[in-house]
Structures are given as C-alpha cells and as structure tokens.
Amino acid sequence: MMKRSSFPVATGLYVNYLLFGMFNIMLASHMSFLTEHLHTDQAGISLLVSAMGFGRLFTLYISGVLSDRYGRKPFIVAAGLLMAVFLVGIPLSPSFEMAIVLAVLAGVANSFLDSGTYPALIEAFPQSSGSATVLVRGFISVGAAFLPLMIIFFMNHDIFYGFSFFLPALIFVLNAIYLFKMKFPDMRVQSPKEPVGDTSVSSIEQTGKLETNDRSKPRFWQEGLCLILLGFTGPTLLYIVQLWLPTFGQQFIGMTESESLRLLVYYNVGSLISVFVLVIVLKKWVKPVHIILIYPCISLLAFGALLLFKSGAAAIICASVIGFSISGVLQLTLTVMSEFFSQRKGQITGFVYTATSLSYTVIPVFTGFLLKHSQISSVFMLAIIVNVLGIVLAVFVNFRYSLVFPASRKLSPKIVLDTK
C-alpha cells in the first residue's frame, strides 16, 4: 500500500520529471535558434548535448554514494536549482564556450536528480515501488510532448524563444523551494535482503542464480555483457530520435519547423502509451526478456519505413511507433539483468548505467560529426545499424534465458521502469 503521507513529496518529485521531459529535448527543439545565437552549427549543438552526458557520466556514481550518506533532499533540491541555472543561462549565454560549461553543469544536475529521486520514491512507497517508478516515465513523456507545443505557440506569436527556457526554469525553482520544505521518507526503509557475499564480477558469475535445478547458470561474460551492451544500444536510439527527428522532418521530408517539432509530440505520445501497455502486459502475458526482443523488432520496421516512405503522414505514424517501441527497453534490460544476477542488483545496475552514460556522451558528438560530413538520412541509417545490433544481442539473451530459466519454472520478476 502507498503511504498517504508520502504523496506531497512524491508530487514534487513527479513535477521535477515532467519538467525534465522538457529539459531533455530543449536543445534539440531549439536547434535553429541556438545555432544562430551561439554562432555554431548542428554539430556544435550536438556537442552541447554530449557535454551534458559527460557531466552526468562522471558524477553519477559519486552522487549516488553521497545521496546514501547525506540524504535525498539536498541532491534533489540542488538538481532543480542547477537545471534552472542551465535553462536561464543558455538563451542568455554570450558564447559557445559558456554554453558548454552550462551543459556540463546540466549533466551534473541530471545525475543529482536521478540519484536522489529513485531512492526517495522507493523509500516513500516500499510496497509499490514498481508503480511509483513507472509513473516517472509517464511524466517525462508528458513534459516532452508539451514542450514542442509551447515552442510552436511562442513562434506563432513572435515571442522570444528564450521564454520556453525561462518558464520551466521558474517552475524548477518554485518546486525546489517546495521540496526543501517537505519532509522526506525515512532512508532506513529496507527492501528484501539479498544474500551477502563477494561483489566482484567473478562472484556475479558464480552466484548469479538461486539454488535450483536449472540446466545452466548465468554467465557474466555472455548474457551479462550482452545486456550491458543493450544498455548502450537502447539509449543510442532514444538520443538519435530526440536530437535529430525535427531536423530529419525538415531536411529529409520537407516539413516546416513547426511541423517537424510536432513529430516529437507524436513520439512522446507513443512513449506514454507504451508505459501503460507495459504495466498491463508484463503482469499477465509476457516476460521482460521477451519485450527487449519484440520492441527492437518493431522499432526496426518503423525506422525502415521512416526512410522508405518520404511523407509527413508516414513520419507521424513512424514517430509514434518508434516512441512506443523504444520506451522502457533500457529499464527492462535492467530487470532481466536482475533476474540473471539477482544477488548483485546494485553492481549490475552500475554496469548498465555506465554503458548508458557513455551513449549519452558519445552519440551526440558522433552523429553531429556524421551530419556535418553527410546527410541527415545517414544518422538514421546509423540508428538502423544500432537497432539490428540490439536485436542480435536480445536474441542471444533470450536463448540464454531459456537455458537458465526453463519454461516450467514460474518467474514473477519485480518490474521497475525508470527514465534512462
């Protein structure tokens, strides 16, 4: 049961992630404005996105350790204030170099937000932590769908584009003040205890499964490595779409700027629908390991159709399907990893999110370089290649799953979806 006393603080946490949904696509949605304001090109804007990934990559681990030591509230409040600084600073930045500094700061804010919020939600709702964290993805999708509509409104009324930065910044600050006054849940709330033992990689391989009569046992350097690589391929597809879909609409299909921005709305509507579908189907019909194969197959077809059918209507449909089929793959990858290596959830989560952070850092720079020397279609051809790699990895993981967990064994994995 959910504790009613935790609803006020949870409300503030969810508001942060609604704003984060806007924050996450802010640079991509203002590509044309920012290239002119910062005297750069599209590759330069992708470098800003990569700088955010850099800031997140090198502070994610330490922010998690400090959050465990000093509490969730200081990091969540600091995250909101730092994100507000980024949002106000970018439209007013006097130089590209200053924007880079602000982007790194935004990455730090992202790591603070994640390391504080997810533990806080689990501590607030220990009996329903899965449902509590699923909602995070929903709020991100709502925010990401709303931002393009706000930008289009400002464009149609000749309002300075910076106001679409300033408004979320103001709400971030007000919400930080609100959360600062809230009483956070007790950090001493315990989840079911895991067996204690060595935390090395070799230990994971040796103790990853419960004592059963399974035909095989988990092998870190096989399915473990494949799942870590899936932690790279999934976010790569997400970032390619969020960063370059509007540009694709304009340059490849011939859409206007406002029409291309609406593609992000359809993408995020598809993502939001996926959250609710996953909650239903994972309880009754399919396992997470099957979804991490089915979803990439769907997204591969959608990416292919996006390049094949050069029309606005096809782009709208494909954007929605891609949003649907990308959403939740990373989180379910973590769930499957936890099934294989149930005694070391914290360690394997760190492995997967390191791969994810590397994707956030490398892919924006690489795709920016690719676009600078080629056409936007080449970026989406890269997405198809990455998508195929993800399918190959998922096929092997499903094969190994069938050996480690025979069909006769009934599993009831705890499904926890988050945003990355």
Side-chain angles (χ1 to χ4, degrees):
M1 295 179 62
M2 290 190 175
K3 298 184 291 184
R4 293 184 181 275
S5 61
S6 298
F7 285 168
V9 68
T11 299
L13 298 178
Y14 290 133
V15 167
N16 267 344
Y17 273 96
L18 187 148
L19 297 170
F20 180 77
M22 302 182 191
F23 173 93
N24 209 30
I25 62 170
M26 191 67 75
L27 295 180
S29 300
H30 291 88
M31 187 80 72
S32 59
F33 295 112
L34 292 174
T35 52
E36 181 179 352
H37 173 70
L38 297 173
H39 307 292
T40 186
D41 54 15
Q42 292 172 332
I45 301 304
S46 68
L47 182 61
L48 286 180
V49 178
S50 183
M52 293 170 64
F54 180 86
R56 183 178 187 271
L57 175 62
F58 287 96
T59 55
L60 186 61
Y61 176 76
I62 188 64
S63 64
V65 172
L66 294 176
S67 173
D68 285 338
R69 178 174 297 182
Y70 298 109
R72 318 305 179 194
K73 181 191 290 189
F75 292 90
I76 294 171
V77 171
L81 296 177
L82 289 175
M83 287 183 175
V85 170
F86 168 80
L87 290 170
V88 172
I90 287 293
L92 303 178
S93 179
S95 66
F96 181 75
E97 290 74 19
M98 178 59 72
I100 287 286
V101 173
L102 290 170
V104 173
L105 194 65
V108 174
N110 188 352
S111 68
F112 281 7
L113 188 66
D114 288 344
S115 62
T117 301
Y118 285 102
L121 285 172
I122 292 171
E123 290 154 3
F125 307 112
Q127 302 303 318
S128 53
S129 58
S131 299
T133 52
V134 161
L135 288 175
V136 170
R137 180 67 216 181
F139 277 96
I140 290 176
S141 297
V142 170
F146 180 75
L147 178 66
L149 300 178
M150 183 170 64
I151 295 172
I152 292 169
F153 175 83
F154 289 154
M155 288 172 55
N156 292 339
H157 291 81
D158 294 322
I159 300 174
F160 174 51
Y161 79 91
F163 279 99
S164 56
F165 285 76
F166 300 154
L167 183 58
L170 176 61
I171 303 174
F172 260 128
V173 171
L174 294 176
N175 197 49
I177 295 172
Y178 169 80
L179 287 170
F180 180 75
K181 296 180 179 180
M182 289 291 103
K183 181 180 179 181
F184 273 60
D186 190 348
M187 288 175 56
R188 293 172 296 179
V189 172
Q190 297 293 321
S191 58
K193 293 184 178 179
E194 298 290 343
V196 178
D198 183 22
T199 60
S200 64
V201 169
S202 60
S203 174
I204 291 179
E205 189 164 340
Q206 293 169 7
T207 63
K209 73 180 183 66
L210 300 176
E211 292 299 326
T212 65
N213 293 320
D214 291 338
R215 295 193 301 268
S216 184
K217 66 179 180 179
R219 297 172 181 172
F220 181 83
W221 296 112
Q222 293 187 19
E223 61 268 23
L225 183 59
C226 287
L227 287 162
I228 291 171
L229 291 175
L230 282 170
F232 182 90
T233 59
T236 294
L237 296 179
L238 185 149
Y239 251 67
I240 286 176
V241 174
Q242 289 187 336
L243 188 59
W244 297 115
L245 187 59
T247 303
F248 180 88
Q250 293 176 58
Q251 295 185 5
F252 189 79
I253 300 176
M255 291 178 159
T256 65
E257 187 170 9
S258 61
E259 289 173 341
S260 67
L261 284 171
R262 285 194 178 93
L263 291 179
L264 287 177
V265 178
Y266 294 113
Y267 164 81
N268 284 289
V269 168
S271 178
L272 184 61
I273 293 172
S274 179
V275 170
F276 296 106
V277 170
L278 286 175
V279 170
I280 295 171
V281 302
L282 287 170
K283 286 184 177 180
K284 298 181 180 180
W285 294 293
V286 296
K287 296 176 181 178
V289 71
H290 300 144
I291 294 294
I292 66 171
L293 175 58
I294 294 170
Y295 266 27
C297 290
I298 296 173
S299 62
L300 179 63
L301 294 175
F303 276 118
L306 190 65
L307 288 168
L308 184 62
F309 301 106
K310 195 174 179 179
S311 72
I316 289 172
I317 295 172
C318 291
S320 302
V321 175
I322 290 171
F324 179 90
S325 55
I326 290 178
S327 179
V329 172
L330 171 63
Q331 294 75 39
L332 293 178
T333 297
L334 282 170
T335 300
V336 176
M337 191 81 161
S338 296
E339 288 186 65
F340 276 112
F341 309 107
S342 60
Q343 297 184 14
R344 296 292 177 266
K345 293 185 177 68
Q347 189 177 7
I348 57 92
T349 298
F351 290 147
V352 174
Y353 268 114
T354 297
T356 298
S357 296
L358 285 173
S359 172
Y360 292 164
T361 305
V362 172
I363 291 302
V365 171
F366 183 75
T367 53
F369 174 82
L370 195 61
L371 185 60
K372 193 171 185 178
H373 295 85
S374 186
Q375 299 178 342
I376 187 64
S377 57
S378 63
V379 174
F380 282 79
M381 284 300 300
L382 172 65
I384 288 177
I385 294 171
V386 172
N387 204 146
V388 170
L389 174 60
I391 291 173
V392 172
L393 293 169
V395 167
F396 181 77
V397 170
N398 271 264
F399 169 71
R400 287 290 303 156
Y401 191 93
S402 67
L403 298 180
V404 175
F405 305 106
S408 59
R409 178 180 174 184
K410 295 182 179 179
L411 296 175
S412 300
K414 182 179 181 182
I415 308 303
V416 180
L417 301 180
D418 66 22
T419 66
K420 299 295 157 187

